[in-house]
């Protein structure tokens, strides 16, 4: 167990999120553009289809946990493990996914703003996530879930997710390894998740980009385009351990 002092309050790892609502939309984007976006991390994106990488946009409202309640947004990329060696020659989707299952897929968090300062500092100090404070407006009560993100008074994006069919699943999952980078240091964050109230569908997202630099990055990836998969979780619990430097 490690202890961290955040704004005068001691926080110990592992940190637990006991209840949150989360929504996500995943997109197939240009692999060359995705590699350019995360080149600073030292990680390589996974080429799930010839010329295509997977980028996920997610938003969540944390209602109960060891940290203060907050809203957050995330831009992440499916990556290959740092010790996997040279990428394989381009193959089909099934073979590429099998290789990722064998070697261990990762999720590199490129941007992870929150709507309040405590969560922002905790994310930076404890895990080295690229946290910064942003205006995050979530509308989760209606059937369509909406997230509007603004930073420095500029629109980043407006994302609408339409929930799909309920899935007969509830329990703990082993998610991809999480990576973050801050101040030139890339770290791996061990975590686990338990899900209830899962819905998913193909497509199901509408996105409008603004004029913020992050929006420009997303447009260079090829967004807006049709999402390949969207999902919502009405009750999400997570445990995040101590980050380890690569």
């Amino acid at each position: 167990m490690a202890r961290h002092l955040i704004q005068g309050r001691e926080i110990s790892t592992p940190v637990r999120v006991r209840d949150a609502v989360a929504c996500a939309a995943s997109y197939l984007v240009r692999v060359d553009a995705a590699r350019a976006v995360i080149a600073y991390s030292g990680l390589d994106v996974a080429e799930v289809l010839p010329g295509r990488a997977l980028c996920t946009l997610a938003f969540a409202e944390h209602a109960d946990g060891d940290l203060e309640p907050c809203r957050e947004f995330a831009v992440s990329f499916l990556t290959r493990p740092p010790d996997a060696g040279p990428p394989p020659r381009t193959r089909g989707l099934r073979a590429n996914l099998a290789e990722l299952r064998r070697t261990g897929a990762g999720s590199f968090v490129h941007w992870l703003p929150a709507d309040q300062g405590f969560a922002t500092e905790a994310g930076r100090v404890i895990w080295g996530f690229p946290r910064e404070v942003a205006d995050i407006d979530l509308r989760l009560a209606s059937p369509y879930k909406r997230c509007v993100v603004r930073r420095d008074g500029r629109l980043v994006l407006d994302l609408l997710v339409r929930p799909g069919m309920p899935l007969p699943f509830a329990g703990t999952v082993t998610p991809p390894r999480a990576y973050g980078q801050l101040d030139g240091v890339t770290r791996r964050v061990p975590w686990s998740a338990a899900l209830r109230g899962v819905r998913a569908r193909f497509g199901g997202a509408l996105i409008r980009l603004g004029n913020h630099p992050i929006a420009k990055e997303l447009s260079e990836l090829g967004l807006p385009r049709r999402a390949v998969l969207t999902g919502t979780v009405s009750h999400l619990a997570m445990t995040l351990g101590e980050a380890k430097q690569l």
Side-chain angles (χ1 to χ4, degrees):
M1 177 184 295
R3 293 178 173 84
H4 303 268
L5 191 64
I6 310 297
Q7 297 183 1
R9 177 181 165 191
E10 188 176 88
I11 300 294
S12 300
T13 54
V15 172
R16 290 176 174 82
V17 176
R18 285 176 283 276
D19 193 28
V21 177
C23 308
S26 295
Y27 299 86
L28 289 173
V29 298
R30 290 172 39 215
V31 70
D32 56 341
R35 284 196 171 111
V37 167
I38 72 165
Y40 66 93
S41 70
L43 298 173
D44 186 23
V45 295
E47 190 169 356
V48 294
L49 284 175
R52 295 294 175 183
L54 193 69
C55 174
T56 297
L57 310 180
F59 53 92
E61 183 167 54
H62 295 239
D64 180 30
D66 293 344
L67 306 180
E68 295 180 2
C70 73
R71 296 172 171 182
E72 69 177 9
F73 177 78
V75 178
S76 64
F77 294 87
L78 188 68
T79 60
R80 304 177 66 248
D83 56 355
R89 293 183 177 181
T90 300
R91 298 176 296 184
L93 176 62
R94 181 176 298 179
N96 288 336
L97 293 180
E99 194 253 348
L100 287 173
R101 284 193 296 269
R102 180 180 60 81
T103 59
S107 177
F108 177 72
V109 182
H110 173 58
W111 194 50
L112 189 67
D115 69 344
Q116 48 100 333
F118 188 87
T120 297
E121 184 174 340
R124 295 174 69 89
V125 171
I126 300 174
W127 300 293
F129 281 136
R131 282 284 209 195
E132 55 188 25
V133 176
D135 179 9
I136 302 175
D137 179 16
L138 299 187
R139 303 172 193 181
L140 303 175
S142 64
Y144 289 3
K145 314 305 179 184
R146 188 178 180 185
C147 174
V148 181
V149 183
R150 292 182 173 86
R151 168 74 174 155
D152 300 326
R154 301 164 69 179
L155 177 67
V156 179
L157 58 74
D158 184 346
L159 178 61
L160 185 74
V161 172
R162 295 178 287 190
M165 297 294 294
L167 300 184
F169 173 84
T172 301
V173 298
T174 302
R177 302 167 183 173
Y179 298 93
Q181 205 257 35
L182 191 67
D183 298 329
V185 178
T186 300
R187 300 171 176 86
R188 180 172 65 85
V189 179
W191 71 300
S192 62
L195 316 176
R196 287 190 294 118
V198 181
R199 290 176 174 265
R201 59 173 291 169
F202 296 110
L206 296 174
I207 182 172
R208 177 171 65 93
L209 298 178
N211 60 354
H212 188 273
I214 293 291
K216 185 176 185 297
E217 280 188 343
L218 294 175
S219 71
E220 291 171 350
L221 292 168
L223 298 182
R225 63 183 301 126
R226 186 176 187 271
V228 292
L229 186 69
T230 54
T232 60
V233 181
S234 60
H235 295 282
L236 168 66
M238 295 186 295
T239 300
L240 295 92
E242 188 71 11
K244 297 181 181 180
Q245 182 175 334
L246 296 186

